[in-house]
Amino acid sequence: MFIIDRFAYTNNFAEVNPYFKVIFSISLILASIINSNIYFLAASIIGVTILTVAGARIPLKTYAKMLSVPFLYLLIGVVTIVFSFGFNEVNATSNFVYIKSFDSFNLYVGIVKGSVYKGIIVTLRALSAISSMYFFILTTPINQQINVMKKIKLPVVFIELYVLTYRFIALFIEEAVMIHTAQKMKFGYNNYKNSMNSLALLARALFVRIMIRYKDMESILEIKHFDGNFYVE
């Protein structure tokens, strides 16, 4: 079973009204987007994290790993907000609080007034929204999500794409983990050269396996006379 599915079906909030979880998560996401108060955003992150880990009983180590992936991408984006790069010009660098010039290349790297604050706001805002989204997907089983989407009359096409995309992400991760584990057991990552070869083989094998699983899934849906609707209780 996909790890997110396992947590969604076994957490302490699995049987809580899904409409409450949807409203709670979406409200926090919207509040994170609109609000720029550092204390509110920090409190939102801490509160949702405690609710997810201590309340829903999601393992802290797993939750931290899930947060670390978007955080790395977020960090790259924040660096470009905090630091400015360009050619040395008096007018361009007059409002900098810190600047390092490279005269040989006529370049500068600097921090503009207020850019650190903006970087902190962007980071907290993104983490607050992500933690709220994680709370929803880790505490709400997919069948409850489908029921909510049907109740609020979302288009059938949207629901179908949502479920199929969700399923293919699960298949992708499942196959990648299986292949990677098999390679590690054969010492495929014991040095740099083997690691590069193993990654290339993993990418090729993963593409083939996903296509096979896609064909299998397509055949199963045809056998069950799939009409575009996912029927759940």
Side-chain angles (χ1 to χ4, degrees), residues 27-36 40-41 44 125 128-129 132:
S27 298
L28 276 180
I29 291 172
L30 292 176
S32 301
I33 294 172
I34 297 170
N35 204 306
S36 59
F40 170 81
L41 295 173
S44 174
R125 184 175 285 167
S128 178
S132 301

Side-chain angles (χ1 to χ4, degrees), residues 91-177:
N91 294 333
T93 59
S94 59
N95 62 337
F96 278 45
V97 294
Y98 167 81
I99 184 169
K100 172 65 176 177
S101 299
F102 300 92
D103 296 331
S104 56
F105 298 100
N106 197 34
L107 295 174
Y108 69 84
V109 178
I111 300 177
V112 184
K113 291 178 181 178
S115 62
V116 175
Y117 177 79
K118 288 180 181 178
I120 293 173
I121 290 295
V122 169
T123 302
L124 292 177
R125 184 175 285 167
L127 289 177
S128 178
I130 291 169
S131 60
S132 301
M133 181 188 68
Y134 278 176
F135 172 80
F136 174 69
I137 64 174
L138 288 171
T139 61
T140 312
I142 188 65
N143 62 325
Q144 292 183 6
Q145 295 179 33
I146 296 172
N147 272 329
V148 171
M149 287 188 283
K150 285 186 173 182
K151 290 291 185 181
I152 61 177
K153 305 297 182 182
L154 286 178
V156 175
V157 174
F158 175 85
I159 299 174
E160 180 182 349
L161 287 174
Y162 179 88
V163 175
L164 293 177
T165 302
Y166 184 92
R167 179 57 182 159
F168 270 105
I169 291 173
L171 289 177
F172 182 87
I173 295 176
E174 179 186 338
E175 291 291 341
V177 169

Side-chain angles (χ1 to χ4, degrees), residues 5 10 14 24 45 48 72 89 93 99 107 138 189 201 216:
D5 280 335
T10 59
F24 175 76
I45 296 169
V48 173
L72 290 176
E89 295 179 8
T93 59
I99 184 169
L107 295 174
L138 288 171
Y189 295 90
L201 291 172
D216 292 342

Side-chain angles (χ1 to χ4, degrees), residues 173-218:
I173 295 176
E174 179 186 338
E175 291 291 341
V177 169
M178 288 175 60
I179 296 170
H180 185 264
T181 302
Q183 289 177 329
K184 284 181 66 176
M185 292 177 65
K186 296 179 180 179
F187 304 101
Y189 295 90
N190 62 343
N191 57 53
Y192 179 77
K193 183 179 179 181
N194 285 347
S195 296
M196 293 298 100
N197 289 333
S198 296
L199 283 174
L201 291 172
L202 186 149
R204 185 176 66 182
L206 190 59
F207 175 77
V208 174
R209 288 295 305 161
I210 289 297
M211 292 306 297
I212 292 172
R213 295 290 291 270
Y214 166 74
K215 290 294 183 182
D216 292 342
M217 188 175 179
E218 189 178 48

